[in-house]
């Protein structure tokens, strides 16, 4: 009996059998400018010769799975013979879904997993619960942990105690990677080059050059300096998809501080955008989103919990999701928390080696758990009792 673990994110799907390693695959379809009629699914992205003006068709909107036609196509591709060659009749699936998912979406997912694909059994679970399982597995002496999951659509802060989530402490900030990329597109389009259609390219720029500032106002002043003194400035070479397949940052020694480059490459000159964009995770109010930043929301979440548990949560904060990979993210979060938390409580923030696949690894551990068979709903259970059996068994 094989177990397939699928962490079905809004940007990438992390998928793999519980005995094997994980693959990270774009969870969407693409259309390119050049071949308008052909739709590319998931990892067929690599086949597109010219990914400029790439058009994304996403199954998720605002963090919830709403476009089932696209999701089905992606899943057909993932489960099919090109990828994981799933034998549905003797495969169990662990699949993730967002917190407080809508009942209608849950029911559609039950139907698709059991009636269309006919998996032998399934477990629907929050990605954060898998992360918490992973954390408790690696630190068996701990009873509490706070999962900060900053992904594509939003950032969730969720306290777990003995692998149970404490619902009253869950906080959501509506700032995620998608918003950061869109904001960077707007800034660059306003300041130097129209890139509103270049989501793919600018997302790469964001991943390559953005970082979280430790001293925002100090970096702002450096960013305004002229020439060599400006240590924040970077020149980013944009891809032309013939000789330059992927954009990159010019090495500091090759940068020209005055005049134009003779080489004819297309250059983006980035200064304060590098840290002003990720700053939105800490101060969403900078761009008019009236919400708390991550450090405040963590304190707000922990303060809603019983007092004797609070110290344990501050010591066991674990970061997951792609946004936590910005350089300086962990240090800044720890520093800001330190200033908000009473001085007698220690604060510890853990950034795992691979925060994107952390919850997938948790699912892999869960699949080998002796109690796993009691957690799942089998196809026979579902056919006998319908949706209600899933509602009872899955704690979402």
């Amino acid at each position: 009996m094989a177990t397939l673990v699928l962490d079905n994110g809004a940007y990438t799907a992390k998928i793999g059998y519980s005995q094997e390693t994980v693959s990270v695959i774009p969870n969407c379809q693409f259309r390119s400018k050049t071949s308008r009629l052909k739709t590319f699914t998931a990892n067929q992205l690599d086949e597109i010769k010219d990914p400029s003006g790439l058009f994304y068709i996403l199954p998720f909107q605002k963090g919830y799975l709403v476009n089932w036609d696209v999701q089905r196509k992606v899943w057909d591709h993932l489960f099919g013979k090109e990828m994981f060659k799933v034998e549905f009749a003797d495969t169990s699936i662990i699949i993730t879904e967002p917190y407080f998912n809508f009942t209608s979406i849950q029911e559609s997912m039950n139907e698709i997993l059991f009636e269309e694909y006919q998996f032998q059994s399934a477990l629907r679970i929050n990605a954060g619960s898998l992360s918490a399982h992973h954390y408790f597995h690696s630190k068996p002496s701990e009873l509490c942990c706070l999962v900060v999951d900053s992904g594509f659509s939003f950032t969730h802060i969720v306290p777990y105690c003995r692998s149970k989530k404490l619902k009253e402490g869950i906080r959501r900030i509506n700032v995620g990677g998608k918003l950061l990329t869109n904001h960077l597109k707007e800034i660059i389009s306003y300041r130097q080059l129209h890139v509103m259609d270049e989501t793919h390219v600018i997302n790469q720029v964001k991943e390559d050059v953005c970082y979280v500032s430790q001293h925002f106002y100090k970096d702002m002043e450096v960013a305004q300096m002229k020439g060599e003194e400006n240590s924040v400035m970077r020149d980013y070479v944009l891809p032309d998809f013939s000789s330059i397949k992927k954009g990159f940052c010019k090495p500091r020694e090759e940068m020209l501080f005055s005049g134009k480059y003779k080489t004819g490459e297309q250059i983006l000159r980035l200064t304060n955008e590098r840290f002003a964009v990720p700053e939105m995770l800490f101060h969403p109010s900078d761009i008019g989103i009236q919400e708390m930043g991550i450090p405040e929301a963590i304190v707000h979440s922990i303060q809603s919990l019983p007092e004797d548990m609070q110290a344990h949560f501050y010591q066991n904060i674990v970061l997951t999701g792609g946004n936590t990979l910005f350089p300086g993210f962990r240090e800044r979060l720890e520093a800001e928390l330190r200033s908000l938390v009473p001085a007698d409580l220690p604060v510890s923030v853990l950034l795992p080696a691979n925060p994107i696949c952390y919850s997938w690894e948790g699912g892999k551990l869960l699949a080998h758990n002796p109690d796993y068979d009691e957690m799942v709903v089998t196809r026979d259970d579902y056919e006998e009792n319908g949706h209600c059996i899933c509602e009872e068994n899955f704690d979402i």
Side-chain angles (χ1 to χ4, degrees):
M1 175 78 171
T3 305
L4 186 68
V5 184
L6 169 57
D7 180 1
N8 197 49
Y11 178 60
T12 54
K14 281 67 70 179
I15 182 171
Y17 287 110
S18 63
Q19 295 82 13
E20 295 167 15
T21 50
V22 62
S23 309
V24 181
I25 288 157
N27 191 5
C28 52
Q29 291 187 304
F30 308 94
R31 287 213 179 99
S32 76
K33 263 195 210 150
T34 40
S35 47
R36 284 213 168 243
L37 299 169
K38 190 164 192 271
T39 308
F40 299 87
T41 304
N43 59 349
Q44 293 172 343
L45 170 64
D46 310 333
E47 300 168 17
I48 299 176
K49 300 277 184 296
D50 175 10
S52 62
L54 200 61
F55 186 63
Y56 282 79
I57 312 163
L58 301 166
F60 282 76
Q61 293 294 328
K62 298 199 173 156
Y64 293 100
L65 215 179
V66 290
N67 194 338
W68 282 106
D69 299 337
V70 177
Q71 189 63 85
R72 257 196 208 95
K73 297 245 174 57
V74 175
W75 283 353
D76 286 344
H77 179 74
L78 292 180
F79 300 156
K81 48 188 176 298
E82 284 180 27
M83 301 275 309
F84 284 90
K85 309 182 182 59
V86 181
E87 299 287 340
F88 298 106
D90 56 61
T91 302
S92 173
I93 186 169
I94 301 179
I95 189 165
T96 62
E97 61 174 336
Y99 292 96
F100 307 123
N101 198 2
F102 297 98
T103 319
S104 54
I105 299 176
Q106 294 179 337
E107 291 183 353
S108 307
M109 191 179 275
N110 294 339
E111 285 169 20
I112 286 172
L113 293 178
F114 286 125
E115 294 174 24
E116 288 188 26
Y117 291 121
Q118 302 195 341
F119 276 100
Q120 197 273 329
S121 62
L123 169 62
R124 260 204 349 255
I125 192 166
N126 301 127
S129 306
L130 296 177
S131 300
H133 183 78
H134 189 171
Y135 188 77
F136 291 134
H137 188 272
S138 60
K139 298 199 175 175
S141 58
E142 296 296 347
L143 296 173
C144 304
C145 84
L146 186 86
V147 176
V148 179
D149 183 2
S150 186
F152 183 68
S153 318
F154 17 67
T155 300
H156 275 106
I157 290 155
V158 192
Y160 282 86
C161 178
R162 293 201 167 95
S163 298
K164 280 268 174 285
K165 60 174 177 276
L166 305 170
K167 283 211 167 74
E168 67 280 6
I170 298 182
R171 299 287 177 273
R172 182 179 100 185
I173 305 166
N174 294 311
V175 178
K178 178 182 182 174
L179 187 93
L180 300 186
T181 299
N182 287 342
H183 188 58
L184 183 58
K185 281 197 305 195
E186 282 180 25
I187 298 179
I188 293 174
S189 300
Y190 179 68
R191 293 180 185 170
Q192 42 185 333
L193 186 68
H194 180 74
V195 290
M196 291 309 285
D197 304 333
E198 301 294 346
T199 310
H200 183 66
V201 177
I202 299 303
N203 196 56
Q204 193 61 51
V205 175
K206 177 189 79 173
E207 290 177 12
D208 290 342
V209 305
C210 285
Y211 70 96
V212 173
S213 163
Q214 304 305 315
H215 307 283
F216 186 76
Y217 292 108
K218 209 160 119 194
D219 279 4
M220 247 344 179
E221 283 171 16
V222 175
Q224 284 162 351
M225 291 177 175
K226 293 274 180 282
E228 294 275 349
E229 292 168 0
N230 186 340
S231 59
V232 173
M233 183 158 66
R234 292 286 181 278
D235 281 346
Y236 190 88
V237 180
L238 289 169
D240 58 9
F241 301 113
S242 57
S243 56
I244 310 168
K245 289 277 182 279
K246 189 176 174 210
F248 61 93
C249 218
K250 260 205 182 312
R252 190 89 190 151
E253 57 275 10
E254 289 178 24
M255 277 175 64
L256 287 182
F257 291 97
S258 57
K260 283 212 162 110
Y261 286 98
K262 302 284 185 286
T263 45
E265 303 151 327
Q266 232 184 346
I267 302 277
L268 280 183
R269 175 154 282 186
L270 299 158
T271 50
N272 64 15
E273 300 90 346
R274 291 185 60 209
F275 56 88
V277 168
E279 186 67 19
M280 295 172 356
L281 293 160
F282 294 85
H283 293 118
S285 54
D286 286 357
I287 57 158
I289 295 176
Q290 299 305 324
E291 291 182 16
M292 294 182 284
I294 295 177
E296 267 179 278
I298 288 176
V299 173
H300 196 262
S301 160
I302 293 179
Q303 283 177 348
S304 69
L305 303 167
E307 223 165 275
D308 45 355
M309 295 165 82
Q310 293 184 6
H312 292 284
F313 283 112
Y314 285 123
Q315 283 179 52
N316 294 286
I317 297 171
V318 58
L319 303 178
T320 66
N323 296 331
T324 59
L325 288 167
F326 283 120
F329 183 93
R330 193 200 70 79
E331 294 80 0
R332 167 78 180 270
L333 183 59
E334 198 162 66
E336 290 218 357
L337 280 171
R338 189 59 283 168
S339 63
L340 293 167
V341 175
D344 55 324
L345 299 179
V347 171
S348 158
V349 181
L350 172 81
L351 179 63
N354 191 342
I356 291 178
C357 302
Y358 194 75
S359 53
W360 185 90
E361 299 286 348
K364 177 176 178 163
L365 291 166
L366 191 64
H368 298 298
N369 193 334
D371 305 334
Y372 176 68
D373 291 337
E374 278 135 55
M375 301 161 81
V376 298
V377 167
T378 64
R379 190 163 149 240
D380 299 344
D381 294 340
Y382 174 79
E383 286 182 347
E384 197 174 321
N385 305 302
H387 294 302
C388 62
I389 186 87
C390 295
E391 243 171 89
E392 284 166 26
N393 275 27
F394 302 147
D395 163 41
I396 291 302

